[in-house]
Amino acid sequence: MEQSNFYAMMSRMKYINRWGLMNNTKYENLSEHSLQVVLIHYKKFGGNLNAERASILAIFHDTTEIITGDMPTPIKYFNNTIKDAYKEIENAAADRLCSLLPEDFRKDMEEIIKQSGKDDLKLKRFVKAADRFS
């Protein structure tokens, strides 16, 4: 079996702290945040959606931040130029993460990380809403 460093990279999620520009009483890492997004998504929006697929998307929705770090929302969405540039950076980070996978896993995980599967566009809105709740 081909060696992969993908899961070693995923384990780094616990080292990425969120809300760098905020004064926090408790730090939240990317792993904790991803779990919260899954739980909120399932509770708030689970009804008529493919909850299993949405949960997988929620788990991996911020994995590119292993490479980019957590860019604060006010900066990330300050204007279209910055937003578009950050999307390019996120796509490059997603490509880097997926390149760590064995070939037979790559396509499926790329669709999950980039939320680009057949019905993901609809689910992406709900994952983002759960992300904001979190």
Side-chain angles (χ1 to χ4, degrees), residues 40-52:
I40 290 168
H41 176 274
Y42 187 75
K43 181 71 174 164
K44 291 271 186 199
F45 308 115
N48 298 333
L49 300 174
N50 179 342
E52 180 181 288

Side-chain angles (χ1 to χ4, degrees), residues 94-110:
D95 290 341
R96 171 72 178 113
L97 288 173
C98 292
S99 75
L100 300 173
L101 285 161
E103 190 65 39
D104 55 338
F105 284 79
R106 200 167 294 158
K107 182 181 179 298
D108 293 333
M109 285 305 298
E110 184 174 328

Side-chain angles (χ1 to χ4, degrees), residues 12-66:
R12 295 183 53 145
M13 289 175 72
K14 63 183 165 269
Y15 301 122
I16 309 298
N17 288 326
R18 296 181 32 80
W19 300 101
L21 296 180
M22 303 295 284
N23 183 17
N24 298 311
T25 58
K26 180 195 175 297
Y27 288 104
E28 175 187 66
N29 68 45
L30 198 54
S31 289
E32 294 168 323
H33 170 68
S34 293
L35 177 61
Q36 288 173 2
V37 172
V38 170
L39 295 174
I40 290 168
H41 176 274
Y42 187 75
K43 181 71 174 164
K44 291 271 186 199
F45 308 115
N48 298 333
L49 300 174
N50 179 342
E52 180 181 288
R53 179 68 179 184
S55 294
I56 293 292
L57 296 180
I59 289 169
F60 288 94
H61 83 280
D62 276 342
T63 55
T64 57
E65 291 181 7
I66 294 167

